[in-house]
Structures are given as structure tokens and as C-alpha cells.
Amino acid sequence: MPFGEIVIGAPGAGKSTYAYGKYQLFTALQRPIAIVNLDPANDNLPYPCEISISSLITLQDAMEEFGLGPNGAMLYCIEYLEQNFDWLLEKLKALGGGGSQNDEVYVMFDLPGQVELSTNHESLKNIVDRLLKNDFRLAAVNLCDVHYVTDAAKYISVLLLSLRTMLQLELPHINVLSKIDLLSQYGDLDFNLDFYTEVQDLSYLENSLPQGTRFSALNMRISEMVQDFGLDRESMLRLMRIVDRATGCIFVPPSTVAATQKESSRDDKKEGIPVTQRPNIYSLFTTAAGAIGGVRGDVRDVQERWLEAKDEWDEHELEQRKEEAAALKEMTRSTM
């Protein structure tokens, strides 16, 4: 059963940067990952791409063939992919996802930035539905630029957009504030960061909304509806665990014992494998299902890191990297 995620968000939210960051993280953890680019306009990918829609159709092809503008051509490309879903499925099977014997590859789908694809256009939803029918376990990771939390009206609008996406795609859904390191450039927030990440009582935003305009009442009604409906290494690791939990994925790292011996786990004790090298199923599942703690485990830690003490943390992490580099250099020298 292949696991994965679809990465959505408005243009400039950092989807491709996030995909590259996750590729680097998974590579460091020796966890197999394959990135699928489904943006026909993205011809400058920062990450190694296993499958790209540009092999099937490009935005320029659609614009020139049918005289369409960029938005219309984008919709046509996704509709074309829907009609040629078998092409995508065969490519995925060749990766080791969707019906092959090698289903441990984690598949990340990098989507275009046109929000209508995930809010009201049917083709992407149909593609996702067909992936689910082919035994994919997927979550939607929605990247929202952090500047939306600096303006009450923008914050309400992005909540509404996220809610519409959740209803449309019907997937486990994780909202991510991207570019958090730039938040200090926008000035002070009206509330602490946890107010925005936990979507607390939105009635408190009333005094922060533009008053005396025809949109004042509309903003408050939208906030009531949303409420009633109810990347540093540490943050990336935490997000990875949240997405895994949303899809039900439990990744077991490769075992050196399994690589050198043929015994099954049920025969570990009988075959004399040391107890320290046997699979610990209890610990595995409690780690997967337990509380997600650690550094950046509390949004107040994020606020301190990027808003209240950014310069101090920058200096501290720079010193840490220098120490790690020195230790690695010393280790390399000692093994030569």
C-alpha cells in the first residue's frame, strides 16, 4: 500500500521549496521518496523529479494549440491528465507505488498554484479519487503564506479557502504556515501565534477588521461559519510525523540484521538474534500514535524562535552547525 501526500497552495506559497526540503529530509533518513510534478508550467524544478506531467503535456502546448490563456491552459492540462490517468498510474507502478511489490516508496505530488483546481474544479478530485481506488493512502498538505495571519481579513479568507479545499478533496488535511522566518518583517501580530494556528475564537478579530465598509458584516459571518464548521529541521520532522499519522503510515527503517540474515521476525529469538536488534513492536506503535513532542512541538516555541528571539536563535544555530561540521571533520580524519 503506497503512502504519500499532495502539496497544494497558492502561487508563491513555497510548494516546490517544501518538496525539495522533504526530499532532503527523507534522503537523510534513508527513507525512499519519489516526487511527482503535476504543474505543467513548472520547468525549473529544484528537486529530483521521478515523474513530470510535462512528459505528457505542457502549459505552452495547450496555449499554442487551443489559443488559451495561462489559467485556461492549466485547467485543460489537468483535465488532459485525468483523461490519461492510465499514463500516470503506469509511471507510478514503475516507481514501486500502486500495485507493485515494492510499495514502500513515499510519493509526493507537487500541484500547480491555481487554487480553483483544489476548491471547485472536478478533475483533480477525480484524479485523487482514482489514486485512492488504486490503494494509495494520501493526505493533503496545504501551504499558506504566513503573511495571511498579519491581516484579519486575509486570515479569514485563507481559512475559508482551506475549508473549501477540505470539503472538495475529502482527504486528511494539514494546513502549514510557510515562510515563518519572514513573519517579523510584517510587524507585530494582533494575537499570539497560537491564536492563528489553532483557529481560536474568531470573534476576537472583529476589532481588527476594516470597519464601516460593505465587507465588515460579511467578514464576521464568514468567520462564524469557519469556526462553527469546526522549515528548519525540527519543524520538518514534526510535519513529517503529522502527515504520516494522517495517512496511517508507519515507516520502519532498513535493518542491518534483515540485510544480512534471512530470519523472519517471528524466529528472531529462536535463531539467536540479540534482543537489542529485534523489532520492538510496542515501541514502534506507541511512537507512531503517541504525542508529537520535541523541539518546535509547541507553537510558542515557534513564536520564540522566529519572532521574539530570532537573532539569538540564528546565532545559536550557527554555532551548532559549526560544531557539527567540526565533529564531522574530526570523525572523517580519524577514520582515514
Side-chain angles (χ1 to χ4, degrees), residues 121-133:
H121 195 264
E122 290 297 317
S123 287
L124 178 59
K125 176 177 173 54
N126 293 338
I127 291 170
V128 169
D129 287 344
R130 294 184 70 176
L131 288 171
L132 297 178
K133 289 178 180 178

Side-chain angles (χ1 to χ4, degrees), residues 40-334:
N42 195 350
D43 54 2
N44 188 23
L45 301 172
Y47 50 75
C49 181
E50 299 293 340
I51 303 172
S52 179
I53 190 177
S54 60
S55 300
L56 180 68
I57 189 172
T58 67
L59 191 74
Q60 193 64 32
D61 292 338
M63 292 174 65
E64 293 176 355
E65 180 72 19
F66 302 102
L68 298 170
N71 287 337
M74 181 65 71
L75 296 179
Y76 176 83
C77 289
I78 300 301
E79 291 170 355
Y80 189 78
L81 177 63
E82 179 191 0
Q83 295 300 317
N84 292 272
F85 178 80
D86 290 342
W87 171 86
L88 177 61
L89 189 60
E90 288 302 315
K91 294 282 187 181
L92 291 171
K93 287 182 177 180
L95 293 178
S100 77
Q101 294 180 347
N102 185 24
D103 282 346
E104 73 274 10
V105 177
Y106 188 92
V107 185
M108 171 181 283
F109 297 89
D110 187 11
L111 271 292
Q114 274 69 7
V115 295
E116 60 266 34
L117 291 174
S118 55
T119 58
N120 56 284
H121 195 264
E122 290 297 317
S123 287
L124 178 59
K125 176 177 173 54
N126 293 338
I127 291 170
V128 169
D129 287 344
R130 294 184 70 176
L131 288 171
L132 297 178
K133 289 178 180 178
N134 280 275
D135 294 329
F136 274 82
R137 294 287 296 274
L138 299 173
V141 176
N142 181 33
L143 268 61
C144 306
D145 196 307
V146 75
H147 85 269
Y148 285 115
V149 307
T150 64
D151 181 277
K154 290 180 180 178
Y155 177 61
I156 292 174
S157 69
V158 81
L159 289 180
L160 183 62
L161 189 64
S162 176
L163 177 58
R164 183 67 189 91
T165 301
M166 293 168 64
L167 294 174
Q168 173 76 359
L169 296 181
E170 298 180 309
L171 288 173
H173 190 97
I174 298 99
N175 291 312
V176 179
L177 286 178
S178 62
K179 305 182 181 179
I180 191 72
D181 56 316
L182 303 179
L183 184 55
S184 58
Q185 299 179 10
Y186 302 112
D188 296 334
L189 297 176
D190 293 323
F191 305 96
N192 286 335
L193 192 58
D194 59 349
F195 173 87
Y196 302 96
T197 58
E198 297 175 16
V199 194
Q200 296 178 10
D201 190 347
L202 298 181
S203 64
Y204 291 122
L205 292 174
E206 184 171 6
N207 293 331
S208 301
L209 291 168
Q211 301 298 315
T213 71
R214 58 180 176 171
F215 299 111
S216 301
L218 176 62
N219 281 329
M220 285 309 302
R221 297 292 80 75
I222 289 176
S223 69
E224 290 172 5
M225 183 193 71
V226 172
Q227 184 165 300
D228 291 342
F229 207 95
L231 279 173
D232 55 286
R233 290 179 297 180
E234 290 82 5
S235 297
M236 286 293 291
L237 282 166
R238 177 175 171 80
L239 180 57
M240 179 188 71
R241 290 194 61 194
I242 291 172
V243 176
D244 281 348
R245 178 174 296 183
T247 59
C249 177
I250 300 176
F251 174 69
V252 181
S255 169
T256 55
V257 175
T260 57
Q261 301 186 39
K262 299 298 184 181
E263 297 88 353
S264 69
S265 59
R266 284 176 292 183
D267 295 329
D268 285 346
K269 186 174 181 179
K270 181 175 64 177
E271 297 294 338
I273 296 177
V275 66
T276 55
Q277 295 180 340
R278 298 176 201 158
N280 188 334
I281 301 301
Y282 175 79
S283 295
L284 177 64
F285 278 90
T286 52
T287 299
I292 302 176
V295 181
R296 309 286 187 271
D298 191 310
V299 68
R300 289 170 293 186
D301 298 334
V302 178
Q303 179 163 335
E304 177 187 340
R305 169 62 181 91
W306 296 110
L307 292 177
E308 298 171 356
K310 182 178 184 301
D311 293 339
E312 292 86 346
W313 270 101
D314 286 343
E315 184 177 350
H316 171 69
E317 291 184 354
L318 179 60
E319 289 299 320
Q320 277 191 322
R321 285 194 291 270
K322 288 181 179 179
E323 292 175 5
E324 290 173 0
L328 180 60
K329 185 177 181 180
E330 183 65 27
M331 185 184 303
T332 304
R333 183 183 302 156
S334 64

